[in-house]
Amino acid sequence: MPELTDLATIRALCEKYDFALSKGFGQNFIINPGVCPKIVDGSGIDRSWGVIEIGPGIGVLTKELARRAGKVVAIEVDKRLPPVLAETLAEFDNVKILLQDVLTLDLHQLIREEFPDMPVAVCANLPYYITSPIIMKLLEDRLPIRSVTVMVQKEAADRLAAAPGTRESGAISCAVQYFAEPKMLFTVQPGSFYPAPKVTSAVVRLDIRPAPAVQVPDEKGYFALVRAAFGQRRKTAANSIASGLGLPKEAVLAALERAGLDPRVRPEKLTLADFAALQAALGTAR
Ligand code: SAM
């Protein structure tokens, strides 16, 4: 099988299977031959690992994963692709394709059934239109996975990797840091894809923590507070929290003070520990 990074090969496959790339499914395929090996290097997997890939497309990253991992399960939503993948991945007996929407799939069950005795990593060039829901599902479902190595838009990668308390931080940065240790790996230029997207991409790796970064008594309430704080970007945390959680502003201001925080603080200045202290202080105010 000729290399899948070769445009002539991609065009020939598209013609053979009467397949046109779908913008709606976020299909931008990797055509730079250096990128897939670099992503797999960055993921740190080897033969002893099981890998879940989200969105194999025509299989360019899947092939590199199959060469280097013990087993790969690739989840693809586009029903036109499994026949293409049957051809492009024919040489591998350690790859399984699931025709499913990753957002509705029971990943706990998948891991139990497919990887009963292997460490598991997620590795993917994500469909950019659902980056956040996919990342949140992977983290919030508390899956027995060790790491998530994903290519996303550079701007999204910056937010995933931002430390709470710094300028780029947002609600998703707090969620990532709560469950994982993020690391920005490298950027990838638009010309490395077919078709070329408008923006630069980047690969980040999230190493799942054995236990969350901070202890909170009520995780749901904690994330409701974090989301509310970032709900209105240009407002102070107090204003956003009051309107987001439907609390009197005075109660939020008093809680901020009790937690030892500046009542005019902006949400991006708050660390995970600050949010935990604020949650505890709000608890006593209600
Ligand atoms: N892995 C290929 C590559 O790197 O060239 C394709 C990556 S492309 C950016 C994203 C892939 O995700 C597409 O194949 C698309 O059909 C698939 N996809 C989109 N939404 C999905 C979903 N909800 N569940 C599973 N796969 C999805």
Side-chain angles (χ1 to χ4, degrees), residues 23-142:
K23 250 192 175 170
F25 282 141
Q27 291 174 349
N28 298 89
F29 297 162
I30 296 168
I31 54 165
N32 177 337
V35 170
C36 292
K38 232 174 137 179
I39 296 175
V40 181
D41 287 347
S43 76
I45 58 110
D46 61 28
R47 280 264 162 252
S48 63
W49 285 76
V51 177
I52 297 174
E53 186 193 4
I54 297 161
I58 58 169
V60 66
L61 177 60
T62 326
K63 262 185 137 173
E64 188 65 23
L65 289 166
R67 284 187 190 118
R68 294 167 59 177
K71 179 174 177 182
V72 181
V73 174
I75 304 159
E76 175 56 62
V77 77
D78 186 340
K79 63 178 184 318
R80 301 169 305 163
L81 284 168
V84 184
L85 290 162
E87 174 175 337
T88 60
L89 301 172
E91 69 195 272
F92 300 100
D93 60 6
N94 62 341
V95 181
K96 184 166 179 175
I97 305 296
L98 293 182
L99 182 59
Q100 293 272 359
D101 178 342
V102 69
L103 292 177
T104 53
L105 186 61
D106 182 343
L107 292 172
H108 275 285
Q109 188 184 346
L110 181 153
I111 292 169
R112 247 190 340 265
E113 289 175 2
E114 302 290 345
F115 307 107
D117 48 15
M118 287 171 127
V120 180
V122 172
C123 192
N125 171 19
L126 287 184
Y128 293 172
Y129 73 106
I130 43 172
T131 296
S132 296
I134 292 177
I135 297 287
M136 290 314 295
K137 178 179 164 101
L138 295 174
L139 296 173
E140 282 184 338
D141 281 6
R142 295 284 183 99

